[in-house]
Amino acid sequence: MQVTLPWPPRALSPNVRVHWAQKAKAAKAYRNACGMVTLAAYQQAKKNGLRIDPDRAVRLEIEFIPPNRRAYDRDNLIAWIKSGLDGMADALSINDRMFRLDSISVVEELAGMVRVGVTQ
């Protein structure tokens, strides 16, 4: 299954200092948005026979497609999308501790999104 998430808001970056309430609001909105996108993709994948077992590891291949040519640190990118991964876990009805990151990449194209490949 392939899920295309929106680029995370700046307030969620580990390097940005914002008021906790502003960060919480951004995290909640991003989590909900990613959850809705994932739920729609999962419902479509279910029609093709995909089932996610909540007791087995879910493998993720994450591809960051940044909105600009700024250099991004991969560790910070993972922390940046934490709320989005939580939203994905909500939509798949699994605990996010079942996620296994197989690969993390930053591509050269510009689009401002995060592609996540989900397999089990």
Side-chain angles (χ1 to χ4, degrees):
M1 177 174 78
Q2 187 89 340
V3 181
T4 302
L5 305 176
W7 190 256
R10 186 173 184 274
L12 297 182
S13 171
N15 295 330
V16 173
R17 303 292 171 237
V18 295
H19 190 272
W20 65 267
Q22 182 182 358
K23 185 171 185 168
K25 184 177 179 180
K28 183 176 181 179
Y30 190 62
R31 181 177 184 152
N32 289 338
C34 292
M36 291 178 65
V37 169
T38 303
L39 185 59
Y42 185 46
Q43 288 174 342
Q44 185 64 37
K46 274 184 172 179
K47 292 178 185 176
N48 297 328
L50 176 72
R51 294 286 186 263
I52 300 291
D53 182 359
D55 297 324
R56 288 184 45 216
V58 175
R59 305 184 95 55
L60 302 180
E61 293 180 6
I62 303 175
E63 186 177 57
F64 293 94
I65 302 106
N68 53 42
R69 299 218 182 273
R70 181 176 300 149
Y72 292 97
D73 178 25
R74 287 193 172 110
D75 292 337
N76 285 342
L77 287 171
I78 294 300
W80 207 351
I81 65 162
K82 170 70 169 94
S83 297
L85 294 177
D86 290 342
M88 287 184 68
D90 294 343
L92 297 173
S93 299
I94 62 171
N95 190 318
D96 66 342
R97 69 181 167 87
M98 299 305 287
F99 285 152
R100 303 294 182 264
L101 300 180
D102 278 352
S103 70
I104 302 160
S105 61
V106 180
V107 298
E108 294 294 319
E109 66 182 279
L110 299 178
M113 62 183 166
V114 181
R115 280 191 209 123
V116 182
V118 179
T119 56
Q120 196 163 41

